[in-house]
Amino acid sequence: ANKLTVKENLEFSAQIYGKDKRKARELAEEYMKSFDLTERASDKARTLSGGMQRRLSIAMAMISKPKILFLDEPTLGLDVMARRKLRKHIEPLKGKVTVILTTHYLEEAEALADRIAIMDEGVIKAVGTAEELKQMTKKESLEDAFVSLCAGEEDI
């Protein structure tokens, strides 16, 4: 995939899911536009910044019109601006596809998630909206709610 251009990656993804060449080309154009990749259509995927590579990966996944999209720490290692730009592309997916997103950035969870599951050592401690989790723990921030649910006395 790194040897292919942005456009070729998207066309290839569409063809894997049974689209003919014409439809694959149309979908590639549509997703390049949706994910702000049109100007980089002819660039090899390996030359893209980390943020653009993540956007390309999400576009490639979305081209198949999945019912569920798993995003495992999609903004890990990205700078603040790249994280913000990627979030801008994840937000419009709400209502179109179920997104299961793992993240260590609580502000990201609060901004993107309808429901949040707080996990500690592989165990779900609580599930709810950010507001419900704050009310449940009587805390004013999601970070404080997280700490309340996960920290032992020795951690605080």
Side-chain angles (χ1 to χ4, degrees):
N2 272 338
K3 293 183 179 187
L4 300 178
T5 66
V6 168
K7 186 175 182 183
E8 289 168 342
N9 268 291
L10 289 165
E11 289 174 349
F12 180 69
S13 292
Q15 288 175 328
I16 285 174
Y17 288 99
K19 305 301 180 199
D20 62 35
K21 286 187 182 220
R22 183 190 59 75
K23 185 62 176 172
R25 218 173 303 122
E26 287 174 14
L27 286 168
E29 294 294 332
E30 176 186 333
Y31 281 88
M32 283 187 297
K33 188 175 184 180
S34 294
F35 286 86
D36 290 334
L37 294 166
T38 305
E39 290 180 14
R40 304 296 300 271
S42 301
D43 294 356
K44 301 281 187 199
R46 72 173 173 263
T47 67
L48 301 176
S49 68
M52 283 190 174
Q53 286 182 1
R54 305 271 170 84
R55 292 197 325 255
L56 175 58
S57 294
I58 294 170
M60 289 170 65
M62 288 300 298
I63 215 160
S64 70
K65 309 261 193 259
K67 291 185 176 163
I68 300 175
L69 179 64
F70 291 89
L71 298 176
D72 185 16
E73 298 193 62
T75 62
L76 184 68
L78 298 181
D79 64 46
V80 172
M81 297 306 284
R83 275 202 319 262
R84 184 172 284 194
K85 193 164 194 165
L86 185 60
R87 279 200 311 257
K88 186 184 91 173
H89 288 88
I90 294 171
E91 285 172 351
L93 301 178
K94 281 186 175 186
K96 295 179 184 174
V97 62
T98 298
V99 177
I100 297 179
L101 176 123
T102 62
T103 185
H104 284 91
Y105 299 116
L106 295 176
E107 72 280 358
E108 187 168 273
E110 196 162 9
L112 292 173
D114 294 324
R115 292 178 43 87
I116 299 168
I118 302 288
M119 292 185 72
D120 184 31
E121 298 183 12
V123 176
I124 294 177
K125 298 289 188 169
V127 178
T129 65
E131 285 307 312
E132 288 169 345
L133 294 170
K134 289 186 259 185
Q135 288 173 3
M136 177 189 313
T137 57
K138 297 178 177 46
K139 302 295 180 184
E140 292 190 23
S141 74
L142 185 57
E143 182 175 319
D144 288 341
F146 176 89
V147 169
S148 174
L149 288 162
C150 296
E153 290 301 316
E154 69 280 357
D155 295 328
I156 300 176

Short mmCIF file of all heavy atoms in Angstrom, two decimals, residues 61-114:
data_model
loop_
_atom_site.label_atom_id
_atom_site.label_comp_id
_atom_site.label_asym_id
_atom_site.label_seq_id
_atom_site.Cartn_x
_atom_site.Cartn_y
_atom_site.Cartn_z
N ALA A 61 -10.93 2.46 4.78
CA ALA A 61 -11.86 1.62 5.52
C ALA A 61 -13.31 2.02 5.22
O ALA A 61 -14.18 1.15 5.06
CB ALA A 61 -11.59 1.72 7.02
N MET A 62 -13.57 3.31 5.12
CA MET A 62 -14.94 3.79 4.91
C MET A 62 -15.45 3.51 3.50
O MET A 62 -16.66 3.46 3.29
CB MET A 62 -15.01 5.30 5.20
CG MET A 62 -14.91 5.65 6.66
SD MET A 62 -16.24 4.92 7.66
CE MET A 62 -17.68 5.68 6.92
N ILE A 63 -14.56 3.32 2.56
CA ILE A 63 -14.97 3.12 1.17
C ILE A 63 -15.84 1.87 1.01
O ILE A 63 -16.65 1.77 0.11
CB ILE A 63 -13.73 3.10 0.22
CG1 ILE A 63 -14.08 3.74 -1.10
CG2 ILE A 63 -13.15 1.72 0.07
CD1 ILE A 63 -12.87 4.19 -1.90
N SER A 64 -15.70 0.93 1.97
CA SER A 64 -16.51 -0.30 1.92
C SER A 64 -17.87 -0.12 2.60
O SER A 64 -18.64 -1.07 2.68
CB SER A 64 -15.76 -1.45 2.58
OG SER A 64 -15.68 -1.24 3.98
N LYS A 65 -18.12 1.09 3.12
CA LYS A 65 -19.38 1.39 3.82
C LYS A 65 -19.62 0.41 4.97
O LYS A 65 -20.66 -0.26 5.03
CB LYS A 65 -20.57 1.38 2.86
CG LYS A 65 -20.40 2.22 1.62
CD LYS A 65 -21.07 3.54 1.76
CE LYS A 65 -21.19 4.25 0.42
NZ LYS A 65 -20.23 5.26 0.19
N PRO A 66 -18.67 0.33 5.90
CA PRO A 66 -18.82 -0.64 7.00
C PRO A 66 -19.92 -0.22 7.97
O PRO A 66 -20.28 0.96 8.05
CB PRO A 66 -17.45 -0.56 7.70
CG PRO A 66 -17.01 0.85 7.47
CD PRO A 66 -17.49 1.17 6.08
N LYS A 67 -20.44 -1.17 8.70
CA LYS A 67 -21.42 -0.87 9.75
C LYS A 67 -20.70 -0.47 11.03
O LYS A 67 -21.22 0.30 11.82
CB LYS A 67 -22.31 -2.08 10.00
CG LYS A 67 -23.23 -2.35 8.84
CD LYS A 67 -24.19 -3.46 9.10
CE LYS A 67 -25.10 -3.53 7.90
NZ LYS A 67 -25.83 -4.67 7.72
N ILE A 68 -19.50 -1.03 11.23
CA ILE A 68 -18.69 -0.72 12.41
C ILE A 68 -17.28 -0.39 11.95
O ILE A 68 -16.72 -1.09 11.11
CB ILE A 68 -18.64 -1.91 13.40
CG1 ILE A 68 -20.04 -2.26 13.88
CG2 ILE A 68 -17.73 -1.59 14.58
CD1 ILE A 68 -20.09 -3.50 14.75
N LEU A 69 -16.72 0.68 12.50
CA LEU A 69 -15.35 1.08 12.20
C LEU A 69 -14.57 1.10 13.51
O LEU A 69 -14.95 1.78 14.45
CB LEU A 69 -15.33 2.48 11.56
CG LEU A 69 -13.97 3.06 11.21
CD1 LEU A 69 -13.28 2.23 10.13
CD2 LEU A 69 -14.13 4.51 10.73
N PHE A 70 -13.52 0.32 13.57
CA PHE A 70 -12.66 0.28 14.76
C PHE A 70 -11.48 1.20 14.53
O PHE A 70 -10.75 1.05 13.55
CB PHE A 70 -12.16 -1.15 15.02
CG PHE A 70 -13.23 -2.09 15.46
CD1 PHE A 70 -13.97 -2.81 14.54
CD2 PHE A 70 -13.51 -2.26 16.81
CE1 PHE A 70 -14.97 -3.67 14.94
CE2 PHE A 70 -14.52 -3.12 17.23
CZ PHE A 70 -15.24 -3.83 16.29
N LEU A 71 -11.29 2.16 15.42
CA LEU A 71 -10.15 3.08 15.36
C LEU A 71 -9.36 2.90 16.66
O LEU A 71 -9.79 3.32 17.72
CB LEU A 71 -10.63 4.53 15.22
CG LEU A 71 -11.43 4.84 13.95
CD1 LEU A 71 -11.93 6.29 13.98
CD2 LEU A 71 -10.61 4.58 12.71
N ASP A 72 -8.23 2.26 16.55
CA ASP A 72 -7.40 1.98 17.71
C ASP A 72 -6.36 3.09 17.86
O ASP A 72 -5.38 3.13 17.12
CB ASP A 72 -6.72 0.62 17.55
CG ASP A 72 -5.94 0.20 18.78
OD1 ASP A 72 -6.15 0.78 19.86
OD2 ASP A 72 -5.12 -0.71 18.66
N GLU A 73 -6.61 3.98 18.80
CA GLU A 73 -5.75 5.12 19.08
C GLU A 73 -5.31 5.84 17.79
O GLU A 73 -4.13 5.97 17.50
CB GLU A 73 -4.53 4.69 19.89
CG GLU A 73 -4.94 4.12 21.24
CD GLU A 73 -3.78 3.98 22.20
OE1 GLU A 73 -3.18 5.02 22.53
OE2 GLU A 73 -3.50 2.85 22.60
N PRO A 74 -6.29 6.34 17.02
CA PRO A 74 -5.96 6.93 15.72
C PRO A 74 -5.11 8.19 15.80
O PRO A 74 -4.44 8.53 14.83
CB PRO A 74 -7.34 7.24 15.11
CG PRO A 74 -8.23 7.41 16.30
CD PRO A 74 -7.71 6.43 17.32
N THR A 75 -5.11 8.87 16.92
CA THR A 75 -4.35 10.12 17.01
C THR A 75 -3.04 9.97 17.78
O THR A 75 -2.33 10.96 17.98
CB THR A 75 -5.20 11.24 17.65
OG1 THR A 75 -5.54 10.85 18.98
CG2 THR A 75 -6.45 11.52 16.84
N LEU A 76 -2.71 8.74 18.19
CA LEU A 76 -1.48 8.51 18.93
C LEU A 76 -0.27 8.95 18.11
O LEU A 76 -0.14 8.61 16.94
CB LEU A 76 -1.34 7.02 19.28
CG LEU A 76 -0.15 6.65 20.13
CD1 LEU A 76 -0.32 7.23 21.54
CD2 LEU A 76 0.00 5.15 20.20
N GLY A 77 0.58 9.74 18.72
CA GLY A 77 1.79 10.19 18.06
C GLY A 77 1.63 11.39 17.15
O GLY A 77 2.60 11.86 16.56
N LEU A 78 0.41 11.88 17.01
CA LEU A 78 0.19 13.05 16.17
C LEU A 78 0.31 14.32 17.00
O LEU A 78 -0.04 14.33 18.18
CB LEU A 78 -1.21 13.00 15.52
CG LEU A 78 -1.49 11.83 14.59
CD1 LEU A 78 -2.91 11.96 14.03
CD2 LEU A 78 -0.47 11.73 13.47
N ASP A 79 0.75 15.40 16.37
CA ASP A 79 0.82 16.68 17.08
C ASP A 79 -0.59 17.24 17.25
O ASP A 79 -1.56 16.71 16.70
CB ASP A 79 1.75 17.67 16.37
CG ASP A 79 1.27 18.07 14.99
OD1 ASP A 79 0.07 18.40 14.82
OD2 ASP A 79 2.09 18.09 14.06
N VAL A 80 -0.70 18.28 18.03
CA VAL A 80 -2.01 18.86 18.37
C VAL A 80 -2.81 19.22 17.13
O VAL A 80 -4.01 18.91 17.03
CB VAL A 80 -1.83 20.11 19.28
CG1 VAL A 80 -3.15 20.83 19.48
CG2 VAL A 80 -1.23 19.71 20.61
N MET A 81 -2.18 19.86 16.15
CA MET A 81 -2.91 20.28 14.95
C MET A 81 -3.37 19.07 14.13
O MET A 81 -4.50 19.05 13.64
CB MET A 81 -2.04 21.20 14.09
CG MET A 81 -1.67 22.50 14.79
SD MET A 81 -3.10 23.42 15.40
CE MET A 81 -3.71 24.12 13.88
N ALA A 82 -2.52 18.06 13.98
CA ALA A 82 -2.90 16.86 13.23
C ALA A 82 -4.01 16.11 13.95
O ALA A 82 -4.93 15.59 13.30
CB ALA A 82 -1.68 15.97 13.02
N ARG A 83 -3.96 16.05 15.30
CA ARG A 83 -5.03 15.40 16.06
C ARG A 83 -6.36 16.11 15.84
O ARG A 83 -7.39 15.48 15.61
CB ARG A 83 -4.71 15.39 17.56
CG ARG A 83 -3.86 14.25 17.99
CD ARG A 83 -3.95 13.93 19.47
NE ARG A 83 -4.01 15.02 20.39
CZ ARG A 83 -2.96 15.50 21.06
NH1 ARG A 83 -1.78 15.00 20.88
NH2 ARG A 83 -3.12 16.48 21.90
N ARG A 84 -6.30 17.44 15.90
CA ARG A 84 -7.53 18.22 15.73
C ARG A 84 -8.11 18.01 14.33
O ARG A 84 -9.32 17.85 14.16
CB ARG A 84 -7.22 19.70 15.98
CG ARG A 84 -8.46 20.56 15.92
CD ARG A 84 -8.15 21.95 16.36
NE ARG A 84 -8.05 21.95 17.81
CZ ARG A 84 -8.05 23.04 18.55
NH1 ARG A 84 -8.13 24.22 17.99
NH2 ARG A 84 -7.97 22.96 19.85
N LYS A 85 -7.24 18.00 13.33
CA LYS A 85 -7.70 17.83 11.95
C LYS A 85 -8.30 16.43 11.75
O LYS A 85 -9.33 16.28 11.10
CB LYS A 85 -6.56 18.07 10.97
CG LYS A 85 -7.01 18.22 9.55
CD LYS A 85 -5.93 18.83 8.69
CE LYS A 85 -6.56 19.28 7.38
NZ LYS A 85 -5.74 20.15 6.62
N LEU A 86 -7.67 15.42 12.34
CA LEU A 86 -8.20 14.07 12.22
C LEU A 86 -9.55 13.96 12.91
O LEU A 86 -10.49 13.36 12.38
CB LEU A 86 -7.22 13.03 12.79
CG LEU A 86 -7.63 11.58 12.60
CD1 LEU A 86 -7.78 11.22 11.13
CD2 LEU A 86 -6.63 10.66 13.27
N ARG A 87 -9.68 14.56 14.09
CA ARG A 87 -10.98 14.56 14.79
C ARG A 87 -12.05 15.20 13.93
O ARG A 87 -13.20 14.76 13.92
CB ARG A 87 -10.88 15.27 16.14
CG ARG A 87 -10.30 14.40 17.21
CD ARG A 87 -10.62 14.89 18.61
NE ARG A 87 -10.35 16.28 18.86
CZ ARG A 87 -9.31 16.75 19.53
NH1 ARG A 87 -8.41 15.93 20.02
NH2 ARG A 87 -9.18 18.04 19.73
N LYS A 88 -11.68 16.25 13.20
CA LYS A 88 -12.63 16.93 12.31
C LYS A 88 -13.16 15.98 11.25
O LYS A 88 -14.28 16.13 10.77
CB LYS A 88 -11.94 18.14 11.66
CG LYS A 88 -12.85 19.01 10.83
CD LYS A 88 -12.07 20.11 10.15
CE LYS A 88 -11.65 19.59 8.81
NZ LYS A 88 -11.04 20.44 7.89
N HIS A 89 -12.38 14.97 10.89
CA HIS A 89 -12.82 14.01 9.89
C HIS A 89 -13.55 12.81 10.50
O HIS A 89 -14.28 12.12 9.81
CB HIS A 89 -11.62 13.54 9.05
CG HIS A 89 -11.14 14.60 8.12
ND1 HIS A 89 -10.21 15.55 8.49
CD2 HIS A 89 -11.49 14.89 6.86
CE1 HIS A 89 -10.00 16.36 7.48
NE2 HIS A 89 -10.76 15.99 6.48
N ILE A 90 -13.35 12.59 11.79
CA ILE A 90 -14.04 11.48 12.46
C ILE A 90 -15.44 11.92 12.88
O ILE A 90 -16.40 11.15 12.77
CB ILE A 90 -13.22 10.99 13.68
CG1 ILE A 90 -11.90 10.36 13.20
CG2 ILE A 90 -14.03 9.99 14.51
CD1 ILE A 90 -10.92 10.03 14.32
N GLU A 91 -15.60 13.16 13.32
CA GLU A 91 -16.90 13.66 13.81
C GLU A 91 -18.05 13.44 12.83
O GLU A 91 -19.12 13.00 13.23
CB GLU A 91 -16.80 15.13 14.21
CG GLU A 91 -16.07 15.33 15.52
CD GLU A 91 -15.79 16.79 15.84
OE1 GLU A 91 -16.01 17.67 14.97
OE2 GLU A 91 -15.33 17.06 16.96
N PRO A 92 -17.86 13.73 11.52
CA PRO A 92 -18.99 13.55 10.59
C PRO A 92 -19.41 12.09 10.38
O PRO A 92 -20.45 11.83 9.78
CB PRO A 92 -18.48 14.13 9.27
CG PRO A 92 -17.29 14.94 9.61
CD PRO A 92 -16.73 14.37 10.86
N LEU A 93 -18.64 11.14 10.87
CA LEU A 93 -19.00 9.74 10.74
C LEU A 93 -20.16 9.36 11.66
O LEU A 93 -20.83 8.36 11.43
CB LEU A 93 -17.79 8.84 11.02
CG LEU A 93 -16.57 9.05 10.12
CD1 LEU A 93 -15.43 8.13 10.55
CD2 LEU A 93 -16.91 8.86 8.66
N LYS A 94 -20.38 10.19 12.70
CA LYS A 94 -21.48 9.93 13.63
C LYS A 94 -22.79 9.83 12.85
O LYS A 94 -23.08 10.66 11.99
CB LYS A 94 -21.60 11.05 14.66
CG LYS A 94 -20.61 10.97 15.77
CD LYS A 94 -20.91 12.05 16.80
CE LYS A 94 -20.01 11.93 17.99
NZ LYS A 94 -20.37 12.87 19.03
N GLY A 95 -23.57 8.82 13.17
CA GLY A 95 -24.85 8.64 12.50
C GLY A 95 -24.74 7.85 11.21
O GLY A 95 -25.74 7.37 10.69
N LYS A 96 -23.53 7.71 10.67
CA LYS A 96 -23.34 6.95 9.43
C LYS A 96 -22.80 5.56 9.72
O LYS A 96 -23.07 4.63 8.97
CB LYS A 96 -22.36 7.68 8.51
CG LYS A 96 -22.85 9.01 8.00
CD LYS A 96 -21.82 9.67 7.13
CE LYS A 96 -22.29 11.04 6.70
NZ LYS A 96 -21.26 11.77 5.97
N VAL A 97 -21.99 5.45 10.77
CA VAL A 97 -21.34 4.20 11.09
C VAL A 97 -21.07 4.18 12.60
O VAL A 97 -20.86 5.23 13.20
CB VAL A 97 -20.02 4.05 10.29
CG1 VAL A 97 -19.03 5.13 10.62
CG2 VAL A 97 -19.38 2.69 10.46
N THR A 98 -21.13 2.99 13.19
CA THR A 98 -20.75 2.85 14.59
C THR A 98 -19.23 2.88 14.65
O THR A 98 -18.57 2.09 13.98
CB THR A 98 -21.28 1.52 15.16
OG1 THR A 98 -22.71 1.55 15.10
CG2 THR A 98 -20.83 1.33 16.60
N VAL A 99 -18.68 3.81 15.42
CA VAL A 99 -17.23 3.92 15.56
C VAL A 99 -16.86 3.48 16.98
O VAL A 99 -17.39 4.00 17.96
CB VAL A 99 -16.74 5.36 15.32
CG1 VAL A 99 -15.23 5.46 15.54
CG2 VAL A 99 -17.10 5.83 13.91
N ILE A 100 -15.98 2.49 17.05
CA ILE A 100 -15.42 2.09 18.33
C ILE A 100 -14.00 2.62 18.33
O ILE A 100 -13.18 2.22 17.49
CB ILE A 100 -15.48 0.56 18.52
CG1 ILE A 100 -16.94 0.14 18.53
CG2 ILE A 100 -14.74 0.16 19.80
CD1 ILE A 100 -17.18 -1.33 18.68
N LEU A 101 -13.74 3.55 19.23
CA LEU A 101 -12.47 4.26 19.25
C LEU A 101 -11.78 4.02 20.59
O LEU A 101 -12.40 4.20 21.64
CB LEU A 101 -12.76 5.76 19.06
CG LEU A 101 -11.59 6.70 19.14
CD1 LEU A 101 -11.50 7.50 17.85
CD2 LEU A 101 -11.73 7.64 20.30
N THR A 102 -10.53 3.60 20.54
CA THR A 102 -9.75 3.51 21.78
C THR A 102 -8.84 4.71 21.83
O THR A 102 -8.31 5.15 20.80
CB THR A 102 -8.91 2.21 21.84
OG1 THR A 102 -7.97 2.22 20.78
CG2 THR A 102 -9.79 0.99 21.77
N THR A 103 -8.70 5.29 23.01
CA THR A 103 -7.85 6.46 23.15
C THR A 103 -7.42 6.61 24.60
O THR A 103 -8.11 6.18 25.52
CB THR A 103 -8.56 7.74 22.68
OG1 THR A 103 -7.64 8.84 22.74
CG2 THR A 103 -9.79 8.07 23.49
N HIS A 104 -6.27 7.24 24.77
CA HIS A 104 -5.82 7.63 26.11
C HIS A 104 -6.09 9.12 26.33
O HIS A 104 -5.86 9.63 27.42
CB HIS A 104 -4.32 7.35 26.28
CG HIS A 104 -4.03 5.90 26.48
ND1 HIS A 104 -3.76 5.04 25.44
CD2 HIS A 104 -4.00 5.15 27.60
CE1 HIS A 104 -3.56 3.83 25.92
NE2 HIS A 104 -3.69 3.87 27.23
N TYR A 105 -6.55 9.80 25.28
CA TYR A 105 -6.82 11.24 25.38
C TYR A 105 -8.28 11.43 25.79
O TYR A 105 -9.20 11.26 24.99
CB TYR A 105 -6.56 11.93 24.04
CG TYR A 105 -5.14 11.82 23.55
CD1 TYR A 105 -4.84 11.13 22.38
CD2 TYR A 105 -4.10 12.41 24.25
CE1 TYR A 105 -3.53 11.03 21.92
CE2 TYR A 105 -2.78 12.32 23.80
CZ TYR A 105 -2.51 11.63 22.64
OH TYR A 105 -1.22 11.53 22.19
N LEU A 106 -8.50 11.79 27.05
CA LEU A 106 -9.87 11.90 27.56
C LEU A 106 -10.64 13.02 26.89
O LEU A 106 -11.85 12.91 26.70
CB LEU A 106 -9.84 12.05 29.08
CG LEU A 106 -9.29 10.83 29.82
CD1 LEU A 106 -9.21 11.09 31.31
CD2 LEU A 106 -10.11 9.60 29.52
N GLU A 107 -9.94 14.11 26.52
CA GLU A 107 -10.64 15.20 25.83
C GLU A 107 -11.14 14.72 24.47
O GLU A 107 -12.18 15.16 23.99
CB GLU A 107 -9.76 16.45 25.69
CG GLU A 107 -8.62 16.36 24.69
CD GLU A 107 -7.37 15.63 25.16
OE1 GLU A 107 -7.31 15.17 26.33
OE2 GLU A 107 -6.43 15.51 24.36
N GLU A 108 -10.43 13.80 23.85
CA GLU A 108 -10.84 13.22 22.57
C GLU A 108 -12.10 12.36 22.77
O GLU A 108 -13.06 12.47 22.01
CB GLU A 108 -9.70 12.38 22.03
CG GLU A 108 -9.90 11.83 20.65
CD GLU A 108 -8.59 11.29 20.14
OE1 GLU A 108 -7.81 12.08 19.58
OE2 GLU A 108 -8.32 10.08 20.32
N ALA A 109 -12.09 11.54 23.80
CA ALA A 109 -13.25 10.71 24.10
C ALA A 109 -14.47 11.60 24.37
O ALA A 109 -15.56 11.34 23.86
CB ALA A 109 -12.98 9.82 25.31
N GLU A 110 -14.26 12.65 25.15
CA GLU A 110 -15.38 13.54 25.49
C GLU A 110 -15.90 14.26 24.25
O GLU A 110 -17.11 14.43 24.09
CB GLU A 110 -14.93 14.55 26.55
CG GLU A 110 -16.08 15.24 27.23
CD GLU A 110 -15.68 15.89 28.54
OE1 GLU A 110 -14.48 15.97 28.87
OE2 GLU A 110 -16.60 16.32 29.25
N ALA A 111 -15.01 14.65 23.34
CA ALA A 111 -15.42 15.38 22.14
C ALA A 111 -16.10 14.48 21.11
O ALA A 111 -17.02 14.92 20.41
CB ALA A 111 -14.20 16.06 21.50
N LEU A 112 -15.68 13.23 21.01
CA LEU A 112 -16.15 12.38 19.92
C LEU A 112 -17.21 11.35 20.31
O LEU A 112 -18.00 10.94 19.48
CB LEU A 112 -14.96 11.62 19.30
CG LEU A 112 -13.94 12.46 18.54
CD1 LEU A 112 -12.75 11.61 18.14
CD2 LEU A 112 -14.58 13.11 17.32
N ALA A 113 -17.19 10.91 21.55
CA ALA A 113 -17.99 9.75 21.92
C ALA A 113 -19.39 10.09 22.42
O ALA A 113 -19.57 11.02 23.19
CB ALA A 113 -17.27 8.94 22.99
N ASP A 114 -20.34 9.29 21.98
CA ASP A 114 -21.69 9.36 22.54
C ASP A 114 -21.72 8.61 23.87
O ASP A 114 -22.40 9.01 24.80
CB ASP A 114 -22.71 8.71 21.59
CG ASP A 114 -22.86 9.49 20.30
OD1 ASP A 114 -22.79 10.73 20.33
OD2 ASP A 114 -23.04 8.85 19.25
#
